[in-house]
DNA sequence: TCAAGAATGAGAGCACTGCTCTTGCGGAAT
DNA sequence: ATTCCGCAAGAGCAGTGCTCTCATTCTTGA
């Protein structure tokens, strides 16, 4: 009977992923705002009302795609870090940082609409539900892990920190990385935001007719961020 | 008769700005995707089809709002720079940079939806027309002007530049600021993108439950960007 | 095993959207 | 004064998200 019940549930998850895949397809082609439940249903050969058995609203479908996208960038970042750790030779902290940044950028350039979904303007009238905060932090945690590695290898030189910011820095450090110096924690948060500033400008076309050698430009900027965080070698 | 014709044209521009104002109001309340031509017309006591005499499509209305928004941030930045130049005492390059960055951030926090319109994901199916590139560059030009001021005052120390990036740096410098060292030009572009990364993360809520003392945090990050560009004192 | 029950799909329908087209009105130019 | 042209109004089309009802089909418990 578990097999029978499994059949039902398997059908359900199959249809669910089919819906998400088709939605992702339309997302990649037309962007988030043009994504239409009816069009997805039509393409899948079902009637629109049937789709509501799987996703109670359009926003819920979007949320599912958002979670998947966060997971996808997260995996890209984590894989890059893992490769940098025990790959050929084993990279130093600086190179690991650059590898992770490049991996995130590559994913963003390959999936611009999904990237826009998670790092562009929040979708209209939509506020991120709790399900997203876990997946959303994977890239940040990866960056923190790099700093932690560096710290253990004595390759971390905490950047200067203004006295005014010291209590806040301690708070942030306690929150996200209690084992790292507060100055590194704030620098990490800032670098994290700045990294996505670089990527967003490239993905959203702000560099058009301005920056041509995007790879080299990004590599230089990412290295600089690594310096700001205090990563050595 | 010029008075009479003027009356006609005045009426037209009056209605046009009324439409834009109401649209901006709805934008601020609900976000770009929820902005509806029919709702704007309804609120203005006219029928929806009449609105098409003023804006040929919803995208054109959006474009008008985008241009206005670019101009508004641009003015905020330029005003901050002017105040920093000949204000009380006259600020140094570093403080001018911080002042301009803070002004842009303040505008963004005060007008989050308009900010999202111009620095969030590009609106669905919409590609920025030529009218926007002028207004869009005002903030960037202001940042360049700060570096130029610093250069003239011998307060600019060009950051290091990787050999690989040198030709591209020369190209960028020739494009946007021929009188500045190439290394400064690339650093400016990078800092420009990173600045909006910081602001976007704050406006879009990515710092929620993570950064509390936003002012101090931003000030520190902005100062760091000034350093990266090579601004002294 | 068979009947009660839950899950699923189909269809109609509501209120809304952007946009087009036609019609009529009133001020502007000749 | 009459011909225009700008403007507004209304109807209408195709599309949207979402809800409701009704039938069917699979699952489960007695």
């Amino acid at each position: 009977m578990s097999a029978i019940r499994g059949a039902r549930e398997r059908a359900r998850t199959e249809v669910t992923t089919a819906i998400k895949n088709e939605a992702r397809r339309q997302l990649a082609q037309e962007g988030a705002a043009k994504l239409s439940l009816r069009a997805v249903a039509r393409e899948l050969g079902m009637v629109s009302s049937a789709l509501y058995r799987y996703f109670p609203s359009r926003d819920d479908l979007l949320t599912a795609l958002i979670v998947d996208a966060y997971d996808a960038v997260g995996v890209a970042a984590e894989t890059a870090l893992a490769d940098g750790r025990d790959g050929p030779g084993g990279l130093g902290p600086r190179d690991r940082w650059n590898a992770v940044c490049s991996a995130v950028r590559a994913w963003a350039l390959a999936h611009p609409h999904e990237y826009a979904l998670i790092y562009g303007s929040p979708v209209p009238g939509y506020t991120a539900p709790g399900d997203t905060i876990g997946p959303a932090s994977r890239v940040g945690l990866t960056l923190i892990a790099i700093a932690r590695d560096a710290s253990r290898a004595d390759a971390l030189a905490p950047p200067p920190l203004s006295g005014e910011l010291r209590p806040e820095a301690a708070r942030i450090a306690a929150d996200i990385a209690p084992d790292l110096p507060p100055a590194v924690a704030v620098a990490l948060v800032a670098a994290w935001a700045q990294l996505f500033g670089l990527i967003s400008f490239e993905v959203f076309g702000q560099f058009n007719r301005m920056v041509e050698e995007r790879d080299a430009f990004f590599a230089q900027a990412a290295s600089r961020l690594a310096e700001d965080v205090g990563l050595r070698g």
Side-chain angles (χ1 to χ4, degrees), chain A residues 32-211:
Chain A
K34 284 261 202 301
L35 181 123
S36 144
L37 279 188
R38 291 182 111 113
V40 170
R42 205 179 305 133
E43 208 67 22
L44 260 53
M46 54 171 108
V47 86
S48 74
S49 60
L51 218 151
Y52 284 82
R53 302 279 177 192
Y54 298 88
F55 295 94
S57 83
R58 183 180 178 278
D59 276 1
D60 288 89
L61 213 196
L62 242 355
T63 301
L65 295 185
I66 287 175
V67 170
D68 285 0
Y70 271 128
D71 277 328
V73 239
V75 166
E78 289 160 10
T79 304
L81 175 55
D83 290 355
R85 269 173 174 154
D86 45 44
L91 273 41
R94 195 81 140 260
D95 289 332
R96 288 185 193 176
W97 174 275
N98 288 335
V100 169
C101 290
S102 290
V104 173
R105 167 175 175 261
W107 184 91
L109 291 174
H111 309 86
H113 283 105
E114 291 181 67
Y115 177 84
L117 202 57
I118 55 182
Y119 290 109
S121 0
V123 176
Y126 161 89
T127 49
D131 332 13
T132 67
I133 69 168
S137 53
R138 294 179 69 168
V139 171
L141 290 177
T142 305
L143 297 179
I144 292 172
I146 297 173
R148 204 189 319 272
D149 287 357
S151 174
R152 292 210 181 108
D154 254 324
L156 187 62
L161 179 63
S162 85
E164 186 195 3
L165 200 57
R166 211 153 289 167
E168 171 74 352
R171 216 192 42 68
I172 293 176
D175 247 33
I176 65 173
D179 52 341
L180 290 179
V184 171
V186 281
L188 270 173
V189 174
W192 173 59
Q194 292 171 0
L195 166 66
F196 283 100
L198 289 164
I199 296 175
S200 292
F201 266 35
E202 183 172 355
V203 171
F204 297 158
Q206 224 96 19
F207 285 160
N208 289 351
R209 278 183 296 278
M210 175 170 289
V211 181

